[in-house]
Amino acid sequence: MNRRRVFALGAGAALAAGTGAAAADTGRTAPEPNLPGFKHNYAEVNGVRLHYVTGGRGEPLLLLPGWPQTWWLYNKIMPALATKFRVIAVDMRGQGGSEKPQGGFDKKTMATDIHELVKKLGYDQVNIVGHDLGSMVAFSFAANFPAATKKVAFMDVLHPDESFYQVPLLPPPGGFSLWWFGFNQVMGLPEQLLAGRFRYLIDWLFANTAFTPSAIDERSRRIYAQNYNSPDAIRASNGWYQAFHQDIADGKTYAKLTPPVLGLASISSYDQFLGALPNVANQFEVVRVDGSGHWLAEEQPDFVAREITRFFS
């Protein structure tokens, strides 16, 4: 099954389930959702205040979320992971309950944030998982702090490289547009268009990039939309994309990753992972997550939790 087919599946169902609620969301600061057995925490590291959620016992396992989500994207798998690990789900710089500074959104700086948090928590070495933008930061963490990385897992996305410059503005007929890559590069306009209306973007993304859009439920959609509805949150999240040029330049300086790598790939990114990981990692395995679009931990949580537990145990 190819990428176009994945994105077509379920789009109508997602639009029916998700739209109509967008206008009701506001730009107010969203209260942090609670997950039984887990605690909210804050720490000042590398000049930024980070929010993170902890629970469970065992070796530390950091979870880094992507755009346009927060730590909550892992809510379905955190209880299972907490039976084996000390789970630490982090809102990165500019995300969720963390501070939204004016800069520092290159993935090397964001990885340094996480490394400083790891040291503050008293750990010399951690396991780390990233999804989407969080996967880019996890990659940078493993590249820049290999001694602090026991193992690392990338979910559906790898670090920016020069292939990003080949993303077409106008895909051929039947192709799929990664239009947000360009849109998020624009200074100032996304905040004006999306403030208080971010739910529309949330619903479109899940409709068009999930295999089963209903797997991202109404509560989760509201959590994500409320966390990105303010102009400041939109500006900060755009900063992750605007830093891609620096990320690509930084990536050229990285040696092959030395910690063991797990690639968890949807059916649309599986071939890309197989082709790319031999060039960037010494030890790796790639596992295809069938029945999932981009949102692996929400669409196939049981499978993802089992694979993460297996790999890091």
Side-chain angles (χ1 to χ4, degrees), residues 8-294:
L9 287 171
L15 290 169
T19 55
D25 290 330
T26 71
R28 67 182 183 275
T29 300
E32 288 295 343
N34 291 317
L35 188 63
F38 293 85
K39 178 185 177 183
H40 294 279
N41 311 269
Y42 295 87
E44 295 279 348
V45 293
N46 200 31
V48 67
R49 186 172 187 254
L50 296 186
H51 166 251
Y52 61 102
V53 179
T54 55
R57 292 185 177 182
E59 289 189 356
L61 176 65
L62 268 70
L63 307 177
L64 305 182
W67 179 89
Q69 296 179 290
T70 70
W71 72 271
W72 183 255
L73 84 86
Y74 294 109
N75 78 91
K76 290 183 179 180
I77 67 173
M78 286 169 65
L81 296 178
T83 65
K84 299 287 186 180
F85 306 100
R86 177 64 172 172
V87 174
I88 306 164
V90 186
D91 280 332
M92 300 180 297
R93 174 186 294 244
Q95 187 174 51
S98 290
E99 189 177 353
K100 297 164 180 62
Q102 292 299 313
F105 296 115
D106 62 280
K107 309 314 168 288
K108 189 173 183 178
T109 298
M110 294 175 73
T112 302
D113 295 343
I114 303 304
H115 186 237
E116 292 299 312
L117 177 63
V118 166
K119 292 194 296 183
K120 179 162 281 195
L121 294 176
Y123 299 116
D124 295 323
Q125 191 177 59
V126 295
N127 296 304
I128 186 165
V129 177
H131 177 258
D132 190 79
L133 267 292
S135 183
M136 299 178 188
V137 176
F139 188 106
S140 185
F141 186 99
N144 288 286
F145 309 105
T149 311
K150 185 174 182 181
K151 294 181 180 180
V152 61
F154 308 132
M155 294 174 62
D156 217 44
V157 169
L158 298 173
H159 193 274
D161 60 25
E162 286 192 323
S163 69
F164 279 33
Y165 294 137
Q166 307 305 315
V167 175
L169 176 66
L170 184 64
F176 185 81
S177 173
L178 299 175
W179 58 267
W180 58 92
F181 274 49
F183 179 73
N184 288 345
Q185 298 286 332
V186 180
M187 303 291 288
L189 184 62
E191 299 96 301
Q192 294 176 313
L193 294 178
L194 292 174
R197 299 165 58 86
F198 208 88
R199 177 62 186 269
Y200 289 111
L201 186 149
I202 292 286
D203 286 334
W204 187 95
L205 282 174
F206 294 143
N208 289 277
T209 62
F211 192 96
T212 308
S214 60
I216 303 95
D217 62 21
E218 175 63 22
R219 182 188 183 195
S220 296
R221 290 168 186 248
R222 286 186 176 274
I223 288 169
Y224 302 143
Q226 288 172 0
N227 272 281
Y228 284 87
N229 256 340
S230 73
D232 211 31
I234 297 165
R235 170 196 57 77
S237 66
N238 292 162
W240 303 330
Y241 287 81
Q242 291 160 10
F244 280 171
H245 300 294
Q246 184 61 53
D247 298 332
I248 292 167
D250 288 338
K252 291 179 180 179
T253 70
Y254 296 158
K256 276 192 173 184
L257 301 183
T258 53
V261 170
L262 170 65
L264 287 173
S266 68
I267 55 179
S268 61
S269 62
Y270 180 70
D271 289 342
Q272 177 203 358
F273 269 51
L274 286 178
L277 279 178
N279 299 320
V280 298
N282 286 327
Q283 307 174 62
F284 68 91
E285 60 177 293
V286 181
V287 175
R288 190 173 72 179
V289 184
D290 290 328
S292 182
H294 180 59

